[in-house]
Structure formats: C-alpha cells, structure tokens
Coordinates of all heavy atoms in Angstrom, one line a residue:
M16 N 75.8 51.5 -3.1 CA 76.3 50.7 -4.3 C 75.5 51.0 -5.5 O 75.0 50.1 -6.3 CB 76.2 49.2 -3.9 CG 77.1 48.6 -2.8 SD 78.8 48.8 -3.3 CE 79.3 50.1 -2.2
T17 N 75.3 52.3 -5.7 CA 74.5 52.7 -6.9 C 75.0 52.2 -8.2 O 76.2 52.2 -8.4 CB 74.5 54.3 -6.9 OG1 74.0 54.8 -5.7 CG2 73.6 54.8 -8.0
G18 N 74.0 51.8 -9.0 CA 74.4 51.3 -10.4 C 74.9 49.8 -10.5 O 75.3 49.4 -11.5
Q19 N 74.9 49.1 -9.4 CA 75.2 47.7 -9.4 C 74.0 46.9 -9.0 O 73.0 47.4 -8.3 CB 76.4 47.5 -8.4 CG 77.6 48.1 -8.8 CD 78.8 47.9 -7.9 OE1 78.6 47.4 -6.7 NE2 80.0 48.1 -8.3
I20 N 74.1 45.6 -9.3 CA 73.0 44.7 -9.0 C 73.3 44.0 -7.5 O 74.4 43.5 -7.3 CB 72.9 43.6 -10.0 CG1 72.7 44.3 -11.4 CG2 71.7 42.7 -9.7 CD1 72.8 43.3 -12.5
K21 N 72.3 44.1 -6.7 CA 72.5 43.6 -5.3 C 71.9 42.2 -5.2 O 70.7 42.0 -5.7 CB 71.8 44.5 -4.3 CG 71.9 44.0 -3.0 CD 71.2 45.0 -2.0 CE 71.1 44.4 -0.6 NZ 70.2 45.4 0.4
Y22 N 72.6 41.3 -4.6 CA 72.1 39.9 -4.4 C 72.4 39.6 -2.9 O 73.5 39.9 -2.4 CB 72.9 38.9 -5.2 CG 72.6 39.0 -6.6 CD1 73.5 39.7 -7.5 CD2 71.5 38.4 -7.2 CE1 73.2 39.8 -8.9 CE2 71.2 38.6 -8.6 CZ 72.1 39.3 -9.4 OH 71.8 39.4 -10.7
E23 N 71.4 39.1 -2.2 CA 71.5 38.7 -0.7 C 71.0 37.3 -0.6 O 70.1 36.8 -1.1 CB 70.6 39.7 0.1 CG 70.8 39.3 1.6 CD 70.1 40.4 2.5 OE1 69.8 41.5 2.0 OE2 70.1 40.1 3.7
F24 N 71.8 36.5 0.1 CA 71.6 35.1 0.2 C 72.2 34.6 1.5 O 73.1 35.1 2.1 CB 72.1 34.3 -1.0 CG 73.6 34.5 -1.3 CD1 74.5 33.7 -0.7 CD2 74.0 35.6 -2.1 CE1 75.9 33.9 -1.0 CE2 75.3 35.8 -2.3 CZ 76.3 35.0 -1.8
T25 N 71.7 33.4 1.9 CA 72.3 32.7 3.0 C 72.9 31.4 2.6 O 72.4 30.7 1.8 CB 71.1 32.4 4.1 OG1 70.6 33.6 4.5 CG2 71.7 31.8 5.3
T26 N 74.1 31.2 3.1 CA 74.9 30.0 2.6 C 75.9 29.6 3.7 O 76.0 30.3 4.7 CB 75.6 30.3 1.3 OG1 76.2 29.2 0.8 CG2 76.8 31.4 1.5
A27 N 76.6 28.5 3.5 CA 77.5 28.1 4.5 C 79.0 28.2 4.0 O 79.2 28.2 2.9 CB 77.4 26.6 4.8
L28 N 79.9 28.6 4.8 CA 81.3 28.8 4.7 C 81.9 27.4 4.5 O 81.6 26.5 5.2 CB 82.0 29.5 5.8 CG 83.5 29.8 5.7 CD1 83.8 30.8 4.6 CD2 84.1 30.4 6.9
W29 N 82.7 27.2 3.4 CA 83.4 26.0 3.2 C 84.9 26.2 2.8 O 85.3 27.3 2.4 CB 82.7 25.1 2.2 CG 82.5 25.7 0.8 CD1 81.5 26.5 0.4 CD2 83.4 25.6 -0.3 NE1 81.7 26.9 -0.9 CE2 82.9 26.3 -1.4 CE3 84.6 24.9 -0.6 CZ2 83.5 26.4 -2.7 CZ3 85.2 24.9 -1.8 CH2 84.6 25.7 -2.8
Q30 N 85.6 25.1 3.0 CA 87.1 25.2 2.7 C 87.5 24.4 1.5 O 87.1 23.2 1.5 CB 87.8 24.9 3.9 CG 89.4 25.1 3.9 CD 90.1 24.8 5.2 OE1 89.5 24.4 6.2 NE2 91.3 25.2 5.3
H31 N 88.3 24.9 0.6 CA 88.7 24.1 -0.6 C 89.5 23.0 -0.3 O 89.3 21.9 -0.9 CB 89.4 25.0 -1.5 CG 89.8 24.3 -2.8 ND1 91.1 23.9 -3.0 CD2 89.2 24.1 -4.0 CE1 91.1 23.2 -4.1 NE2 90.1 23.3 -4.7
A32 N 90.5 23.0 0.5 CA 91.4 22.0 0.8 C 91.6 21.9 2.3 O 91.2 22.8 3.1 CB 92.8 22.2 0.1
P33 N 92.2 20.8 2.8 CA 92.4 20.8 4.3 C 93.3 22.0 4.7 O 93.6 22.9 4.0 CB 93.2 19.5 4.5 CG 93.2 18.7 3.1 CD 92.7 19.7 2.1
T34 N 93.6 21.9 6.0 CA 94.4 23.1 6.7 C 95.1 23.9 5.7 O 95.9 23.5 5.0 CB 95.3 22.6 7.7 OG1 94.5 21.6 8.5 CG2 96.0 23.6 8.5
G35 N 94.8 25.2 5.8 CA 95.5 26.2 5.0 C 94.9 26.5 3.6 O 95.3 27.3 2.9
G36 N 93.8 25.7 3.3 CA 93.1 25.9 2.0 C 92.3 27.2 2.0 O 91.9 27.7 3.1
W37 N 91.9 27.6 0.8 CA 91.0 28.8 0.7 C 89.7 28.6 1.2 O 89.2 27.4 1.2 CB 90.9 29.2 -0.8 CG 92.2 29.9 -1.4 CD1 93.3 29.2 -1.6 CD2 92.3 31.2 -1.8 NE1 94.2 30.2 -2.1 CE2 93.6 31.4 -2.2 CE3 91.5 32.3 -1.7 CZ2 94.1 32.6 -2.7 CZ3 91.9 33.5 -2.2 CH2 93.2 33.6 -2.7
H38 N 89.1 29.6 1.8 CA 87.6 29.5 2.3 C 86.8 30.3 1.3 O 87.1 31.4 0.7 CB 87.6 30.2 3.6 CG 88.2 29.4 4.8 ND1 89.7 29.3 4.8 CD2 87.7 28.7 5.7 CE1 89.9 28.5 5.9 NE2 88.8 28.1 6.4
F39 N 85.6 29.8 1.1 CA 84.6 30.3 0.1 C 83.2 30.3 0.6 O 82.9 29.4 1.5 CB 84.6 29.5 -1.2 CG 85.9 29.6 -2.0 CD1 86.8 28.5 -1.8 CD2 86.2 30.6 -2.9 CE1 88.0 28.5 -2.5 CE2 87.4 30.6 -3.6 CZ 88.3 29.5 -3.4
V40 N 82.3 31.0 0.0 CA 80.9 30.8 0.0 C 80.5 30.6 -1.4 O 81.1 31.1 -2.3 CB 80.1 31.8 0.7 CG1 80.3 31.8 2.2 CG2 80.2 33.2 0.2
S41 N 79.5 29.7 -1.7 CA 79.0 29.6 -3.0 C 77.8 30.3 -3.2 O 76.9 30.3 -2.3 CB 78.7 28.1 -3.3 OG 79.8 27.3 -3.2
L42 N 77.7 31.1 -4.3 CA 76.4 31.8 -4.5 C 75.4 30.8 -5.0 O 75.8 29.8 -5.6 CB 76.6 32.8 -5.7 CG 77.2 34.3 -5.2 CD1 78.6 34.0 -4.7 CD2 77.0 35.2 -6.2
P43 N 74.1 31.0 -4.7 CA 73.1 30.1 -5.2 C 73.1 29.8 -6.6 O 73.5 30.8 -7.4 CB 71.9 30.7 -4.7 CG 72.2 31.6 -3.6 CD 73.6 32.1 -3.9
E44 N 72.9 28.7 -7.2 CA 72.9 28.3 -8.5 C 71.9 29.3 -9.3 O 72.3 29.8 -10.4 CB 72.5 26.9 -8.9 CG 73.6 26.0 -8.5 CD 73.3 24.6 -8.9 OE1 72.7 24.4 -9.9 OE2 73.8 23.6 -8.2
E45 N 70.7 29.6 -8.8 CA 69.8 30.4 -9.5 C 70.4 31.9 -9.7 O 70.3 32.5 -10.7 CB 68.5 30.5 -8.7 CG 67.3 31.2 -9.5 CD 66.1 31.2 -8.8 OE1 65.5 30.1 -8.6 OE2 65.5 32.3 -8.6
T46 N 70.9 32.4 -8.6 CA 71.6 33.7 -8.6 C 72.7 33.6 -9.6 O 72.9 34.6 -10.3 CB 72.1 34.1 -7.1 OG1 71.0 34.0 -6.3 CG2 72.8 35.4 -7.1
S47 N 73.5 32.6 -9.5 CA 74.7 32.6 -10.4 C 74.3 32.5 -11.9 O 74.9 33.1 -12.7 CB 75.5 31.3 -10.2 OG 76.1 31.4 -8.8
S48 N 73.2 31.9 -12.1 CA 72.7 31.7 -13.5 C 72.3 33.1 -14.0 O 72.5 33.5 -15.1 CB 71.5 30.8 -13.6 OG 71.0 30.7 -14.9
E49 N 71.6 33.8 -13.1 CA 71.2 35.2 -13.5 C 72.3 36.1 -13.8 O 72.4 36.8 -14.7 CB 70.2 35.8 -12.4 CG 69.7 37.2 -12.7 CD 68.9 37.7 -11.7 OE1 68.0 37.1 -11.1 OE2 69.1 39.0 -11.2
I50 N 73.3 36.1 -12.9 CA 74.5 36.9 -13.1 C 75.2 36.5 -14.3 O 75.7 37.4 -15.1 CB 75.5 36.7 -11.8 CG1 74.8 37.3 -10.6 CG2 76.8 37.5 -12.1 CD1 75.6 37.0 -9.3
R51 N 75.4 35.3 -14.6 CA 76.0 34.8 -15.8 C 75.4 35.3 -17.0 O 75.9 35.7 -18.0 CB 76.2 33.3 -15.8 CG 77.4 32.9 -16.7 CD 78.4 32.1 -15.9 NE 79.8 32.4 -16.4 CZ 80.4 31.3 -17.0 NH1 79.9 30.2 -17.4 NH2 81.7 31.6 -17.4
T52 N 74.0 35.2 -17.0 CA 73.2 35.7 -18.2 C 73.4 37.2 -18.5 O 73.6 37.6 -19.6 CB 71.7 35.3 -18.0 OG1 71.6 33.9 -17.9 CG2 70.8 35.8 -19.1
L53 N 73.4 37.9 -17.4 CA 73.4 39.4 -17.5 C 74.9 39.9 -17.7 O 75.0 40.9 -18.5 CB 72.9 40.0 -16.3 CG 71.4 39.8 -15.9 CD1 71.1 40.5 -14.5 CD2 70.5 40.5 -17.0
L54 N 75.8 39.2 -17.1 CA 77.3 39.9 -17.1 C 78.3 39.0 -17.6 O 79.5 39.4 -17.5 CB 77.5 40.3 -15.6 CG 76.6 41.3 -14.9 CD1 76.8 41.4 -13.5 CD2 76.7 42.6 -15.7
K55 N 78.1 37.9 -18.2 CA 79.1 37.0 -18.7 C 80.1 37.8 -19.6 O 81.3 37.6 -19.6 CB 78.6 35.8 -19.5 CG 79.7 34.8 -19.9 CD 79.1 33.6 -20.6 CE 80.1 32.6 -21.1 NZ 81.3 32.5 -20.6
S56 N 79.6 38.8 -20.4 CA 80.5 39.5 -21.3 C 81.4 40.4 -20.6 O 82.3 40.8 -21.1 CB 79.6 40.3 -22.3 OG 78.9 41.2 -21.5
S57 N 81.2 40.7 -19.3 CA 82.0 41.5 -18.4 C 83.1 40.6 -17.7 O 83.9 41.3 -16.9 CB 81.2 42.3 -17.4 OG 80.3 43.1 -18.0
E58 N 83.0 39.3 -17.8 CA 83.9 38.5 -17.0 C 85.3 38.7 -17.5 O 85.6 38.9 -18.7 CB 83.5 37.0 -17.1 CG 82.3 36.5 -16.3 CD 82.1 35.1 -16.4 OE1 82.7 34.4 -17.3 OE2 81.1 34.7 -15.7
E59 N 86.3 38.7 -16.6 CA 87.6 38.7 -16.9 C 88.2 37.2 -16.9 O 87.4 36.3 -16.9 CB 88.5 39.5 -16.0 CG 87.9 40.9 -15.9 CD 88.5 41.9 -14.8 OE1 89.1 41.3 -13.9 OE2 88.3 43.0 -14.8
G60 N 89.4 37.0 -16.9 CA 90.0 35.7 -16.9 C 89.5 34.7 -15.8 O 89.2 35.3 -14.7
W61 N 89.4 33.6 -16.2 CA 88.8 32.5 -15.2 C 87.4 32.7 -14.8 O 87.0 32.3 -13.7 CB 89.7 32.2 -14.1 CG 91.1 31.8 -14.5 CD1 91.5 30.6 -15.0 CD2 92.3 32.6 -14.4 NE1 92.8 30.6 -15.3 CE2 93.4 31.8 -14.9 CE3 92.6 33.9 -14.1 CZ2 94.7 32.3 -15.0 CZ3 93.9 34.4 -14.1 CH2 94.9 33.6 -14.6
G62 N 86.6 33.5 -15.5 CA 85.2 33.9 -15.1 C 85.1 34.8 -13.9 O 84.2 34.7 -13.1
R63 N 86.1 35.7 -13.8 CA 86.1 36.6 -12.7 C 85.3 37.8 -13.0 O 85.3 38.5 -14.1 CB 87.6 37.1 -12.5 CG 87.8 38.1 -11.5 CD 89.3 38.5 -11.4 NE 89.6 39.4 -10.3 CZ 89.6 40.7 -10.4 NH1 89.1 41.3 -11.6 NH2 89.8 41.5 -9.4
L64 N 84.4 38.3 -12.0 CA 83.7 39.5 -12.0 C 84.0 40.3 -10.8 O 84.1 39.7 -9.7 CB 82.2 39.2 -12.0 CG 81.5 38.8 -13.3 CD1 80.1 38.4 -13.0 CD2 81.6 39.9 -14.3
K65 N 84.3 41.6 -11.0 CA 84.5 42.4 -9.8 C 83.2 42.5 -9.0 O 82.2 42.6 -9.7 CB 84.9 43.8 -10.3 CG 86.4 43.8 -11.0 CD 86.8 45.1 -11.3 CE 88.2 45.1 -12.0 NZ 88.5 46.3 -12.7
A66 N 83.4 42.7 -7.7 CA 82.2 42.8 -6.8 C 82.6 43.4 -5.6 O 83.7 43.6 -5.2 CB 81.7 41.3 -6.5
T67 N 81.5 43.7 -4.8 CA 81.7 44.2 -3.4 C 80.9 43.3 -2.6 O 79.7 42.9 -3.0 CB 81.1 45.7 -3.3 OG1 81.8 46.5 -4.2 CG2 81.2 46.1 -1.8
A68 N 81.3 42.9 -1.5 CA 80.7 41.9 -0.7 C 80.4 42.5 0.7 O 81.2 43.4 1.2 CB 81.4 40.6 -0.5
K69 N 79.5 42.1 1.5 CA 79.2 42.4 2.9 C 78.7 41.2 3.7 O 77.9 40.5 3.2 CB 78.2 43.5 2.9 CG 78.0 44.1 4.3 CD 77.1 45.2 4.3 CE 76.9 45.7 5.8 NZ 76.0 46.9 5.8
I70 N 79.4 41.0 4.8 CA 79.0 40.0 5.8 C 78.9 40.6 7.1 O 80.0 41.3 7.5 CB 79.9 38.8 5.8 CG1 79.9 38.0 4.4 CG2 79.5 37.8 6.9 CD1 80.9 36.9 4.3
G71 N 77.9 40.6 7.7 CA 77.7 41.4 9.1 C 78.0 42.9 8.9 O 77.4 43.4 8.0
N72 N 78.9 43.4 9.6 CA 79.2 44.8 9.4 C 80.5 45.1 8.6 O 80.9 46.2 8.5 CB 79.5 45.3 10.9 CG 78.2 45.4 11.7 OD1 77.2 45.7 11.2 ND2 78.4 45.0 13.0
T73 N 81.0 44.0 8.0 CA 82.2 44.1 7.1 C 81.8 44.1 5.7 O 81.3 43.2 5.2 CB 83.2 43.0 7.4 OG1 83.5 43.0 8.9 CG2 84.5 43.2 6.8
E74 N 82.3 45.3 5.0 CA 82.1 45.3 3.5 C 83.5 45.5 2.9 O 84.4 46.3 3.4 CB 81.2 46.6 3.3 CG 80.8 46.8 1.8 CD 79.8 47.9 1.5 OE1 78.8 48.0 2.3 OE2 80.2 48.7 0.7
W75 N 83.7 44.9 1.8 CA 85.0 44.9 1.1 C 84.9 44.7 -0.5 O 83.9 44.1 -0.9 CB 86.0 43.9 1.7 CG 85.8 42.4 1.3 CD1 86.4 41.7 0.4 CD2 84.7 41.6 2.0 NE1 85.9 40.4 0.4 CE2 84.9 40.4 1.4 CE3 83.8 41.7 2.9 CZ2 84.1 39.2 1.7 CZ3 83.0 40.6 3.3 CH2 83.1 39.4 2.6
K76 N 85.8 45.3 -1.2 CA 85.9 45.2 -2.6 C 86.6 43.7 -2.9 O 87.6 43.4 -2.2 CB 86.8 46.2 -3.3 CG 86.3 47.6 -3.0 CD 85.1 47.9 -4.0 CE 84.8 49.3 -3.9 NZ 83.4 49.5 -4.6
T77 N 86.1 43.0 -3.9 CA 86.6 41.7 -4.1 C 86.2 41.3 -5.5 O 85.9 42.1 -6.3 CB 86.0 40.7 -3.0 OG1 86.6 39.4 -3.2 CG2 84.5 40.6 -3.1
A78 N 86.1 40.0 -5.7 CA 85.6 39.4 -6.9 C 85.0 38.0 -6.7 O 85.2 37.5 -5.6 CB 86.8 39.3 -8.0
I79 N 84.1 37.7 -7.6 CA 83.6 36.3 -7.7 C 84.2 35.6 -8.8 O 84.5 36.3 -9.9 CB 82.1 36.3 -7.6 CG1 81.4 37.1 -8.7 CG2 81.6 36.8 -6.2 CD1 80.0 37.1 -8.8
W80 N 84.3 34.3 -8.8 CA 84.7 33.5 -9.9 C 83.7 32.4 -10.2 O 83.2 31.9 -9.2 CB 86.0 32.8 -9.5 CG 87.3 33.7 -9.6 CD1 88.1 33.8 -10.7 CD2 87.7 34.6 -8.6 NE1 89.1 34.7 -10.5 CE2 88.9 35.3 -9.2 CE3 87.4 34.9 -7.3 CZ2 89.6 36.1 -8.4 CZ3 88.1 35.8 -6.6 CH2 89.2 36.4 -7.2
F81 N 83.5 32.1 -11.5 CA 82.5 31.1 -11.9 C 83.3 29.7 -11.9 O 84.4 29.6 -12.4 CB 82.0 31.4 -13.3 CG 80.8 30.4 -13.5 CD1 79.6 30.7 -13.0 CD2 81.0 29.2 -14.3 CE1 78.5 29.9 -13.2 CE2 79.8 28.5 -14.5 CZ 78.7 28.7 -14.0
D82 N 82.7 28.8 -11.2 CA 83.2 27.5 -11.0 C 82.4 26.6 -11.8 O 81.2 26.3 -11.5 CB 83.2 27.0 -9.5 CG 83.8 25.7 -9.3 OD1 83.9 24.9 -10.3 OD2 84.0 25.3 -8.2
T83 N 83.0 26.0 -12.9 CA 82.1 25.2 -13.9 C 81.8 23.9 -13.3 O 80.8 23.3 -13.7 CB 83.0 24.9 -15.2 OG1 84.2 24.4 -14.9 CG2 83.0 26.3 -15.9
K84 N 82.7 23.4 -12.3 CA 82.3 22.1 -11.7 C 81.1 22.2 -10.7 O 80.3 21.3 -10.7 CB 83.5 21.6 -10.9 CG 84.7 21.2 -11.7 CD 85.8 20.7 -10.9 CE 87.0 20.4 -11.9 NZ 88.3 20.1 -11.1
R85 N 81.0 23.3 -10.1 CA 79.8 23.5 -9.2 C 78.7 24.3 -9.8 O 77.6 24.4 -9.3 CB 80.3 24.4 -8.0 CG 81.3 23.6 -7.1 CD 81.8 24.5 -5.9 NE 82.8 23.8 -5.1 CZ 82.5 23.1 -4.0 NH1 81.3 23.1 -3.5 NH2 83.4 22.5 -3.3
N86 N 79.0 24.8 -11.0 CA 78.0 25.7 -11.8 C 77.5 26.8 -11.0 O 76.3 27.1 -11.0 CB 76.8 24.8 -12.2 CG 76.1 25.4 -13.4 OD1 76.6 26.0 -14.2 ND2 74.8 25.2 -13.4
T87 N 78.4 27.5 -10.3 CA 78.1 28.7 -9.5 C 79.3 29.6 -9.3 O 80.4 29.1 -9.5 CB 77.5 28.2 -8.1 OG1 77.1 29.2 -7.3 CG2 78.7 27.5 -7.2
Y88 N 79.0 30.8 -8.9 CA 80.1 31.7 -8.6 C 80.5 31.4 -7.2 O 79.8 31.0 -6.3 CB 79.6 33.2 -8.7 CG 79.6 33.6 -10.1 CD1 78.4 33.6 -10.9 CD2 80.7 34.1 -10.8 CE1 78.3 34.1 -12.2 CE2 80.7 34.5 -12.1 CZ 79.5 34.6 -12.8 OH 79.4 35.0 -14.1
L89 N 81.9 31.6 -6.9 CA 82.4 31.4 -5.7 C 82.9 32.7 -5.1 O 83.5 33.5 -5.9 CB 83.5 30.5 -5.7 CG 83.4 29.1 -6.2 CD1 84.6 28.3 -6.2 CD2 82.3 28.4 -5.5
L90 N 82.7 33.1 -3.9 CA 83.2 34.3 -3.2 C 84.3 33.9 -2.2 O 83.9 33.2 -1.2 CB 82.1 35.0 -2.5 CG 82.5 36.2 -1.7 CD1 83.1 37.4 -2.5 CD2 81.2 36.7 -0.9
P91 N 85.5 34.1 -2.4 CA 86.6 33.9 -1.4 C 86.4 34.8 -0.2 O 86.1 36.0 -0.3 CB 87.9 34.2 -2.2 CG 87.5 35.2 -3.2 CD 86.1 35.0 -3.6
I92 N 86.6 34.1 1.0 CA 86.5 34.9 2.3 C 87.8 34.8 2.9 O 88.3 33.8 3.5 CB 85.5 34.2 3.2 CG1 84.1 34.0 2.5 CG2 85.3 35.0 4.4 CD1 83.4 35.3 2.0
K93 N 88.5 36.0 2.9 CA 89.8 36.1 3.5 C 89.8 35.8 5.1 O 88.8 36.1 5.8 CB 90.4 37.5 3.3 CG 90.7 37.7 1.8 CD 91.3 39.1 1.6 CE 91.5 39.4 0.2 NZ 92.2 40.7 0.0
A94 N 91.0 35.5 5.6 CA 91.1 35.2 7.0 C 90.7 36.5 7.8 O 90.1 36.4 8.9 CB 92.6 34.8 7.4
T95 N 91.0 37.7 7.4 CA 90.7 38.9 8.2 C 89.1 39.1 8.3 O 88.7 39.4 9.4 CB 91.4 40.2 7.5 OG1 91.0 40.2 6.1 CG2 92.8 40.2 7.6
I96 N 88.5 38.7 7.3 CA 87.0 38.8 7.2 C 86.5 37.7 8.2 O 85.5 38.0 9.0 CB 86.4 38.7 5.8 CG1 87.0 39.6 4.9 CG2 84.9 38.7 5.8 CD1 86.8 41.1 5.1
R97 N 86.9 36.6 8.0 CA 86.5 35.4 8.9 C 86.6 35.8 10.4 O 85.8 35.5 11.2 CB 87.2 34.1 8.5 CG 86.8 33.6 7.1 CD 87.4 32.2 6.8 NE 88.7 31.9 7.2 CZ 89.8 32.0 6.6 NH1 89.7 32.5 5.3 NH2 90.9 31.6 7.0
A98 N 87.8 36.4 10.8 CA 88.1 36.7 12.2 C 87.2 37.7 12.6 O 86.7 37.7 13.7 CB 89.6 37.0 12.3
K99 N 87.1 38.9 11.8 CA 86.4 40.0 12.3 C 84.9 39.7 12.4 O 84.3 40.2 13.3 CB 86.5 41.1 11.1 CG 86.0 42.4 11.4 CD 86.4 43.4 10.3 CE 86.2 44.8 10.8 NZ 86.5 45.8 9.7
E100 N 84.3 38.8 11.6 CA 82.8 38.4 11.7 C 82.7 37.0 12.4 O 81.6 36.6 12.4 CB 82.3 38.4 10.3 CG 82.2 39.8 9.6 CD 81.3 40.7 10.4 OE1 80.4 40.3 11.1 OE2 81.6 42.0 10.3
H101 N 83.7 36.5 13.0 CA 83.7 35.2 13.7 C 83.0 34.1 12.9 O 82.1 33.4 13.4 CB 82.9 35.4 15.0 CG 83.4 36.7 15.8 ND1 84.6 36.6 16.5 CD2 82.8 37.9 16.0 CE1 84.8 37.8 17.1 NE2 83.8 38.5 16.8
L102 N 83.4 33.9 11.7 CA 82.9 33.0 10.8 C 83.4 31.6 11.1 O 84.7 31.4 11.3 CB 83.1 33.3 9.3 CG 82.5 34.7 8.9 CD1 82.8 35.0 7.4 CD2 81.1 34.8 9.2
V103 N 82.6 30.5 11.0 CA 83.0 29.1 11.2 C 82.6 28.4 10.1 O 81.5 28.5 9.6 CB 82.3 28.6 12.6 CG1 82.7 27.2 12.9 CG2 82.6 29.6 13.7
L104 N 83.4 27.3 9.7 CA 83.1 26.4 8.6 C 81.8 25.8 8.8 O 81.6 25.3 10.0 CB 84.2 25.4 8.5 CG 85.6 25.9 7.8 CD1 86.6 24.7 7.9 CD2 85.4 26.3 6.5
G105 N 81.0 25.7 7.8 CA 79.8 25.0 7.9 C 78.5 25.8 8.4 O 77.5 25.4 8.3
K106 N 78.9 26.9 9.1 CA 77.8 27.7 9.7 C 77.1 28.6 8.6 O 77.9 29.2 7.8 CB 78.3 28.6 10.8 CG 77.3 29.4 11.4 CD 77.9 30.3 12.6 CE 76.9 31.1 13.2 NZ 77.5 32.2 14.2
E107 N 75.9 28.7 8.7 CA 75.0 29.4 7.7 C 75.3 31.0 8.0 O 75.2 31.4 9.1 CB 73.6 29.2 7.9 CG 73.1 27.8 7.4 CD 73.1 27.7 5.9 OE1 72.4 28.5 5.2 OE2 73.6 26.7 5.3
I108 N 75.6 31.7 6.9 CA 75.8 33.2 7.1 C 75.1 33.9 6.0 O 74.8 33.4 4.9 CB 77.4 33.5 7.0 CG1 78.0 33.1 5.7 CG2 78.0 33.1 8.3 CD1 79.4 33.4 5.5
T109 N 74.6 35.2 6.2 CA 74.0 35.9 5.2 C 75.0 36.8 4.6 O 75.9 37.4 5.3 CB 72.9 36.9 6.0 OG1 72.0 36.0 6.6 CG2 72.3 37.7 4.9
V110 N 75.1 36.8 3.3 CA 76.0 37.5 2.4 C 75.3 38.4 1.5 O 74.2 38.0 0.9 CB 76.9 36.4 1.6 CG1 77.8 37.2 0.7 CG2 77.4 35.5 2.5
I111 N 75.8 39.6 1.3 CA 75.3 40.5 0.3 C 76.5 40.8 -0.8 O 77.6 41.0 -0.3 CB 74.9 41.8 0.9 CG1 73.7 41.7 1.9 CG2 74.5 42.8 -0.3 CD1 73.5 43.0 2.7
V112 N 76.2 40.6 -2.0 CA 77.1 40.8 -3.0 C 76.5 41.8 -4.0 O 75.4 41.6 -4.5 CB 77.5 39.5 -3.8 CG1 78.4 39.7 -5.0 CG2 78.1 38.5 -2.8
W113 N 77.4 42.8 -4.4 CA 77.0 43.7 -5.5 C 77.9 43.5 -6.7 O 79.0 43.4 -6.5 CB 77.1 45.1 -5.1 CG 76.1 45.6 -4.0 CD1 75.0 46.2 -4.2 CD2 76.4 45.7 -2.7 NE1 74.4 46.6 -3.0 CE2 75.3 46.2 -2.0 CE3 77.5 45.2 -1.8 CZ2 75.1 46.4 -0.6 CZ3 77.4 45.4 -0.5 CH2 76.2 45.8 0.2
V114 N 77.3 43.2 -7.9 CA 78.2 43.0 -9.0 C 77.8 44.0 -10.2 O 76.7 44.6 -10.1 CB 78.0 41.6 -9.5 CG1 78.6 40.6 -8.7 CG2 76.6 41.2 -9.9

C-alpha cells in the first residue's frame, strides 16, 4: 500500500438495523479526527473516502464514510468478508485501513 496512510485498530462489528441491516466497524474517534484533518478535501459525496481494508487474511478495496452522529468514519463489512473471516456481531476484531 505504498503512498497511503495505514491505520490499525481493534473494534467490534455492529449492525445498523435489525435482520438484514448493514454491518460496520467504527474507526476510533482519534483516528477519524486525524483522517478528517488530513484528507477532508479528498472526500467525495456523503464524506466518502476511498480505502483498502484488511481483516485477517482478507484484503479488499472499499471506502469509509464519515458519520456526523458518531463523529467517526464507518467501514462497511460485506457478508462475503464476514463469512470468510468468521466475524460475529460484538466480537472484537483487528482491522487495517489504508486511506
């Protein structure tokens, strides 16, 4: 990931709405604040920043979105990633994000 800023953190997987809702991890507020300070001018619509993420052995191209209610960026975790890495709601996981 040459030329990008790497962030590594541990957080819990959560679900936006009941059954069928999107799954996310929240980036730490301090990390989000740093990203926003450095890259806010690069954000696209809805506070979107292109990113690469890695959980376990799975790495994928994605984006993070700034959530003004939580004051943090959110990383969506697709079903294929959750299944491949055996992710469970509420369980702490280590996440790497390059922005």
Side-chain angles (χ1 to χ4, degrees):
M16 295 297 110
T17 305
Q19 295 184 341
I20 305 168
K21 177 183 176 183
Y22 294 95
E23 185 169 347
F24 54 94
T25 301
T26 189
L28 180 68
W29 58 274
Q30 189 173 7
H31 177 265
T34 308
W37 285 72
H38 290 71
F39 297 95
V40 295
S41 299
L42 279 68
E44 284 187 32
E45 186 175 306
T46 299
S47 293
S48 177
E49 181 178 315
I50 293 170
R51 202 123 213 253
T52 298
L53 295 173
L54 300 171
K55 184 173 177 28
S56 63
S57 298
E58 287 181 354
E59 297 173 353
W61 302 289
R63 178 184 185 269
L64 280 174
K65 292 178 183 175
T67 300
K69 183 175 183 181
I70 297 174
N72 293 316
T73 306
E74 184 175 310
W75 71 103
K76 299 280 185 197
T77 187
I79 55 176
W80 280 265
F81 192 77
D82 181 347
T83 55
K84 292 179 183 174
R85 294 176 183 264
N86 200 34
T87 186
Y88 282 96
L89 304 179
L90 171 66
I92 310 294
K93 294 180 180 182
T95 54
I96 307 297
R97 296 192 313 268
K99 195 171 189 180
E100 292 298 329
H101 311 288
L102 303 180
V103 180
L104 286 174
K106 182 180 176 188
E107 293 281 314
I108 54 175
T109 298
V110 180
I111 301 172
V112 174
W113 292 270
V114 291

